[in-house]
Amino acid sequence: RAIQQGFRAAAGEIDIVARRGGLVVFVEVKARKDRAAVEAITPSQTARIVRAAQAFLQAHPRFSNFDQRFDVILVSPWRLPVHLVDAWRPEH
């Protein structure tokens, strides 16, 4: 279930924040003309998304004890979207 779309903070933006049970999923959506969308996910971008996720959790403390996952949805014309579950894990 989507909690919020287009969450913006000074640290960055998250396209979709969803919840399933005790799990909060932060989803990055990449749209490209071809499958090169996955190459658009750089380490600096994942770091920004992680910082934005931290900002989201600070703004919504009721989710702070939930498990977290970072997914990517790749969208390209004339193809079905590809959902990369648990696409990366933040470095602690």
Side-chain angles (χ1 to χ4, degrees), residues 56-65:
F56 176 86
L57 294 172
Q58 287 177 347
H60 301 89
R62 67 186 177 273
F63 299 116
S64 62
N65 290 328

Side-chain angles (χ1 to χ4, degrees), residues 44-67:
S44 62
Q45 184 174 25
T46 59
R48 275 195 309 274
I49 294 167
V50 169
R51 288 192 304 272
Q54 292 167 343
F56 176 86
L57 294 172
Q58 287 177 347
H60 301 89
R62 67 186 177 273
F63 299 116
S64 62
N65 290 328
F66 284 43
D67 290 329

